[in-house]
């Protein structure tokens, strides 16, 4: 039965359109609306048309408050500034929100985390189960290898991506620091100055081009061996599937901050 009313924030975007289709096709979710930027692409368009389906008679609008009031759970794939406003609306209307958006500053991320004591928030810079697993693996490997192993993360994304490094890379950096029990969990270096590599630092390389959906490699370079862990997205639909799965899981939860690994814990995929 379709008994969970879902609203999509940013429904005309690359991921937003796929989310419309995924929610519409879900057995449990009912697609009740979607928002766009005032005057932006998709404003006034039928959600079915945006999703590549037949018209549904529901139209994209730019009044998030209306959607928050009507929905049971919201999914946000917009941009950092917009998401921060949506978090305040989630608190005002007491609705759970799944946040897929990335590009927050450390300060903005802290703000969202602090506000999660007022409404359920699931924050995941990557909605794939593979990256949820990779975060756990990286933490474990970094805990075993000492600092004689240099950690380098290389990521590739399409030419339109706005934030750099990606939210996923930032989460992998934090996982590596957690494994190493470092105090500062957010530091990394970009090798753009001549000179030797600093011992113990985490290096990041960023590639942007074409239609690359997203590849992340975490490499542990020792003197006599190298361990490389790579995750590659082959189809963007996996982000929408993960977000819808997260939304169904978040519905009915108490206020708090949740991660994709919490969804994993309650599934057949439990890995810890
Ligand atoms: N968590 C994950 O698994 C995952 C995966 C992929 C991407 N992402 C992140 O998700 C975000 C969106 O990515 P994308 O590739 O879908 O980008 P996108 O194609 O640019 O989509 C973002 C959409 O949000 C719209 N928007 C801007 N302001 C808005 C507002 N006030 N209200 C409603 N909609 C608004 C944009 O409209 P205009 O174009 O008219 O401004 C655009 O249609 C990015 O931060 C990206 O890094 C996360």
């Amino acid at each position: 039965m379709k008994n969970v009313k879902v609203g999509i924030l940013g429904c005309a975007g690359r991921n937003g359109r796929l989310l419309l289709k995924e929610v519409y096709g879900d057995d449990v979710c009912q697609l009740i609306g979607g928002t766009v930027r005032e005057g932006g692409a998709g404003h006034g368009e039928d959600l079915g048309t945006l999703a590549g389906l037949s018209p549904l008679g529901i139209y994209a609008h730019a009044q998030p408050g209306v959607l928050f009031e009507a929905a049971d759970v919201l999914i946000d794939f917009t941009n950092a500034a917009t998401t921060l406003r949506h978090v305040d609306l989630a608190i005002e209307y007491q609705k759970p929100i799944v946040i897929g958006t990335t590009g927050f500053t450390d300060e903005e991320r802290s703000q969202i985390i602090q506000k999660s004591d007022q409404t359920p928030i699931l924050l995941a810079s990557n909605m794939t189960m593979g990256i949820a697993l990779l975060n756990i693996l990286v933490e474990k490997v970094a805990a075993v290898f000492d600092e004689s192993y240099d950690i380098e993360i290389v990521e590739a994304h399409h030419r339109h991506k706005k934030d750099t490094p990606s939210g996923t890379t930032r989460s992998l950096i934090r996982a590596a620091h957690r494994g190493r029990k470092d105090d500062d969990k957010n530091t990394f270096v970009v090798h753009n100055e001549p000179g030797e590599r600093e011992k113990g630092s985490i290096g990041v390389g960023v590639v942007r081009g074409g239609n690359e959906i997203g590849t992340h490699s975490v490499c542990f370079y020792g003197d006599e061996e190298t361990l490389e862990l790579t995750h590659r997205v082959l189809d963007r639909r996996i982000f929408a599937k993960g977000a819808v799965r997260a939304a169904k899981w978040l519905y009915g939860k108490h206020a708090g901050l949740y991660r994709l690994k919490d969804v994993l814990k309650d599934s057949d995929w439990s890995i810890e």
Side-chain angles (χ1 to χ4, degrees):
M1 194 168 63
K2 285 181 167 286
N3 56 1
V4 181
K5 295 182 213 149
V6 180
I8 307 299
L9 302 156
C11 70
R14 264 181 297 273
N15 290 284
R17 290 167 191 255
L18 294 171
L19 278 160
L20 292 173
K21 192 169 180 183
E22 200 61 34
V23 172
Y24 180 74
D26 190 85
D27 291 343
V28 175
C29 297
Q30 184 192 350
L31 177 64
I32 59 141
T35 63
V36 294
R37 187 169 53 78
E38 178 75 51
H43 199 169
E45 267 192 61
D46 189 285
L47 298 193
T49 312
L50 284 174
L53 304 165
S54 304
L56 302 174
I58 315 172
Y59 301 94
H61 60 79
Q63 296 168 279
V66 173
L67 192 59
F68 271 89
E69 188 159 30
D72 292 326
V73 54
L74 287 301
I75 302 176
D76 181 316
F77 274 71
T78 56
N79 57 56
T82 304
T83 301
L84 293 177
R85 293 198 296 275
H86 289 160
V87 167
D88 289 337
L89 286 170
I91 292 167
E92 186 182 334
Y93 288 91
Q94 283 298 290
K95 297 292 167 80
I97 181 167
V98 171
I99 300 175
T101 301
T102 65
F104 303 108
T105 62
D106 292 342
E107 168 64 28
E108 288 168 341
R109 222 177 133 265
S110 303
Q111 275 177 33
I112 295 174
I113 292 169
Q114 272 171 20
K115 289 181 178 181
S116 66
D117 64 357
Q118 299 173 66
T119 202
I121 297 179
L122 191 145
L123 186 59
S125 53
N126 192 300
M127 293 288 174
T128 68
M129 293 301 161
I131 287 289
L133 281 163
L134 183 59
N135 273 302
I136 291 166
L137 292 173
V138 166
E139 182 173 343
K140 285 192 196 292
V141 177
V144 174
F145 284 163
D146 63 23
E147 289 193 355
S148 65
Y149 284 77
D150 299 321
I151 302 179
E152 292 286 313
I153 303 176
V154 181
E155 55 129 312
H157 284 90
H158 54 91
R159 65 168 72 91
H160 304 292
K161 183 153 183 70
K162 292 180 183 115
D163 52 325
T164 179
S166 69
T168 303
T169 296
R170 289 179 187 275
S171 78
L172 292 165
I173 292 166
R174 286 192 293 275
H177 280 302
R178 276 199 304 278
R180 283 181 165 180
K181 302 213 171 356
D182 294 333
D183 291 333
D184 190 340
K185 304 277 188 286
N186 293 308
T187 50
F188 64 91
V189 294
V190 178
H191 306 295
N192 54 8
E193 299 286 340
E196 279 193 18
R197 188 189 195 286
E198 187 194 331
K199 199 173 173 197
S201 61
I202 297 178
V204 170
V206 174
V207 176
R208 292 286 178 267
N211 199 25
E212 165 70 44
I213 303 175
T215 297
H216 293 86
S217 291
V218 184
C219 310
F220 296 82
Y221 290 98
D223 288 337
E224 288 107 13
E225 64 175 347
T226 300
L227 174 60
E228 293 185 14
L229 301 168
T230 297
H231 179 265
R232 189 167 289 124
V233 176
L234 303 178
D235 188 327
R236 205 183 293 282
R237 271 185 307 178
I238 196 162
F239 299 133
K241 284 184 177 171
V244 171
R245 182 178 182 174
K248 290 191 281 189
W249 180 90
L250 192 63
Y251 176 59
K253 293 282 184 294
H254 296 298
L257 181 73
Y258 301 96
R259 305 287 188 185
L260 208 59
K261 70 177 178 191
D262 299 314
V263 183
L264 269 177
K265 272 187 201 148
D266 285 353
S267 77
D268 298 342
W269 288 49
S270 187
I271 39 165
E272 281 182 299

